[in-house]
Amino acid sequence: MKSQQELLNSTNFCVIVPTYNNRKTLKKVLDSVLDFTPSVIIVNDGSTDETFNILKQYPQLTQIHHPKNLGKGRALRNGFRKAIEMKFEYAITIDSDGQHFASDIPNFIAAIQEEPNSLLIGSRNMTQENVPKKSSFGNKFSNFWFKFETGIKLDDTQSGFRLYPLRLLPKRFYTNKFEFEIEVIVRAAWKGIVVKNIPIQVLYDPAERVSHFRPFRDFTRISILNTVLVTNALLYIKPRDFFRRAKKKGFKKFFLEDILESKDSNFKKSAAIALGIFIGLSPFWGFQTILLFALAALFRLNKVIAFLTSNVSFPPFIPFIIYGSLKIGSIFVPSDTSLFLDSSMTFDDIQKNAAQYIVGSLILASVSALSAGLISYFLLTAFTKKRTE
């Protein structure tokens, strides 16, 4: 077994330290990091305190100086770019506010040996003394949306103590501030990179720690980013992953193993079918996929089954669905116009009878969903019973 120092020497990594006005803790952080590696890239993000003078004491370090504050995301991006230029394979990032312990660096290196090319995030104990309530809430908020966007459950998605597989990261990024650390892990997960937590120590010292997180402005940026990521996940990533899994396994085998033989109860499978039918027939055009995955996640239903059955409204059936909705709606919403399913029916006719269509489609969707759910439940129950005999 390799010793700790042999492990560090055999791994091609550097440590990136972004800093902005952390004069109280910067020297202590750099000295502690240098105990484990001389490969350090410090990114001075436009500091206006004594940071520049402190860094004069470390001429051996690779230094990047921004003439003005550009944000943590930009500092990390420039640090990554420099690390790639210097041919490093991995980069560990550590904040300069003194909350992290450089003594955890060997733990990252040991973990990456077990699962190379992973993205590792240090998991802090957010329940310990002196942890600000806003930090604990923000982390839970971020964890929830990360799981929704990627399907991966993490205990800490906001820690700045991380290890990145540099050459596997996306080539372009779109954010520059604190929200970058969310963008990079979500998009890395979408690329198929393993994203996981490893436990780390943490120190919150109110006397020394300086946070530049601006609650209202940065929380707004993070919320906007999550809105974009959720939309992308629902409209593209989740359907893409579904078809990739089905194609890789073979559609017949995928259907039998991942759908019929899933661990969900027959009731839950039937409920997923009912949800798919309801969304597929409902009048939420343009928002059906978003609603489908959101409701499936909310009620913890099988997203694959729900997505498959929602395609009941594929193009050849759409005219019949619209006509049926209008006919059912006419029973409850009177109209002077009589519609027939032939070439005489136009889009203008549908617009003039929008109330009929909306009411009718909701009734049709509800009745069809209930019927499909009940029928599928009895069929699945019979199928299960037959398999166990």
Side-chain angles (χ1 to χ4, degrees):
M1 183 180 291
K2 291 182 179 179
S3 68
Q4 182 183 99
Q5 195 56 51
E6 287 175 331
L7 202 60
L8 293 172
N9 292 339
S10 65
T11 306
N12 185 18
F13 79 100
C14 67
V15 175
I16 298 174
V17 185
T19 188
Y20 175 62
N21 289 350
N22 282 126
R23 62 177 179 81
K24 291 183 179 180
T25 53
L26 177 59
K27 190 176 189 307
K28 181 172 66 176
V29 170
L30 292 178
D31 289 343
S32 64
V33 170
L34 287 169
D35 286 338
F36 296 93
T37 178
S39 303
V40 179
I41 299 173
I42 176 78
V43 186
N44 174 19
D45 189 26
S47 298
T48 56
D49 59 3
E50 291 81 27
T51 293
F52 188 78
N53 292 327
I54 293 172
L55 293 181
K56 285 182 179 179
Q57 303 173 36
Y58 299 90
Q60 77 276 29
L61 303 186
T62 301
Q63 300 185 20
I64 300 172
H65 294 273
H66 294 170
K68 63 179 182 179
N69 181 248
L70 301 178
K72 187 179 183 182
R74 178 63 69 174
L76 289 173
R77 289 167 60 179
N78 288 344
F80 290 162
R81 188 178 296 113
K82 188 65 177 179
I84 291 172
E85 287 176 7
M86 296 173 71
K87 310 299 183 184
F88 288 109
E89 185 178 359
Y90 298 105
I92 292 177
T93 61
I94 185 170
D95 294 337
S96 62
D97 59 5
Q99 70 165 293
H100 302 308
F101 290 80
S103 56
D104 281 320
I105 288 175
N107 296 334
F108 282 92
I109 300 304
I112 206 64
Q113 306 303 316
E114 295 179 4
E115 197 158 12
N117 298 320
S118 301
L119 194 163
L120 307 177
I121 304 173
S123 178
R124 303 162 293 176
N125 178 6
M126 303 299 289
T127 62
Q128 71 180 51
E129 190 178 359
N130 293 328
V131 175
K133 290 184 178 179
K134 64 180 181 181
S135 296
S136 180
F137 169 78
N139 193 48
K140 290 177 181 177
F141 178 85
S142 179
N143 295 347
F144 170 81
W145 286 114
F146 179 78
K147 183 179 180 182
F148 188 93
E149 292 151 4
T150 66
I152 301 169
K153 185 180 185 303
L154 294 180
D155 296 320
D156 192 344
T157 52
Q158 291 196 318
S159 170
F161 204 176
R162 305 177 175 190
L163 182 148
Y164 293 93
L166 290 169
R167 299 188 183 280
L168 298 182
L169 296 178
K171 301 300 181 186
R172 294 183 60 191
F173 294 100
Y174 305 99
T175 54
N176 295 316
K177 306 293 184 180
F178 283 100
E179 68 274 16
F180 169 79
E181 290 184 299
I182 296 173
E183 180 193 356
V184 66
I185 61 173
V186 170
R187 294 183 58 206
W190 286 350
K191 280 194 70 177
I193 297 172
V194 173
V195 181
K196 58 190 290 187
N197 283 136
I198 67 167
I200 60 169
Q201 307 168 75
V202 65
L203 171 67
Y204 280 91
D205 187 346
E208 290 193 344
R209 185 172 182 265
V210 177
S211 174
H212 301 291
F213 185 84
R214 296 159 295 183
F216 179 77
R217 187 178 298 180
D218 291 316
F219 189 77
T220 300
R221 282 198 178 100
I222 289 171
S223 296
I224 292 171
L225 173 64
N226 275 317
T227 300
V228 173
L229 293 175
V230 166
T231 302
N232 192 24
L234 293 176
L235 295 182
Y236 173 67
I237 299 297
K238 290 184 183 294
R240 179 204 69 181
D241 291 346
F242 163 73
F243 283 111
R244 281 181 177 176
R245 289 197 306 272
K247 184 177 180 181
K248 184 177 180 179
K249 184 174 283 190
F251 286 97
K252 182 179 179 180
K253 188 177 180 182
F254 179 78
F255 178 79
L256 291 173
E257 293 183 1
D258 292 61
I259 297 178
L260 290 183
E261 297 298 330
S262 74
K263 295 180 180 178
D264 291 333
S265 66
N266 289 336
F267 176 80
K268 278 208 156 189
K269 290 176 186 175
S270 303
I273 291 172
L275 174 64
I277 295 292
F278 178 80
I279 294 296
L281 296 178
S282 61
F284 306 119
W285 301 103
F287 300 95
Q288 288 178 323
T289 304
I290 292 176
L291 279 172
L292 176 76
F293 282 109
L295 290 172
L298 178 64
F299 295 109
R300 298 181 180 179
L301 300 177
N302 188 305
K303 299 179 185 67
V304 174
I305 296 177
F307 180 75
L308 280 174
T309 53
S310 71
N311 286 284
V312 66
S313 59
F314 66 93
F317 287 173
I318 289 176
F320 299 97
I321 293 170
I322 293 175
Y323 180 71
S325 299
L326 286 167
K327 279 297 185 182
I328 293 172
S330 67
I331 300 172
F332 301 92
V333 182
S335 174
D336 297 331
T337 307
S338 296
L339 296 175
F340 299 94
L341 188 60
D342 56 24
S343 57
S344 65
M345 189 172 74
T346 65
F347 186 69
D348 286 338
D349 293 327
I350 298 171
Q351 284 185 308
K352 290 175 184 177
N353 295 275
Q356 268 189 11
Y357 168 68
I358 292 171
V359 171
S361 63
L362 287 173
I363 294 172
L364 176 64
S366 300
V367 173
S368 299
L370 182 61
S371 301
L374 288 171
I375 293 170
S376 60
Y377 177 76
F378 288 119
L379 289 175
L380 286 168
T381 301
F383 176 79
T384 305
K385 186 177 180 181
K386 186 177 180 180
R387 287 288 301 271
T388 56
E389 287 180 351

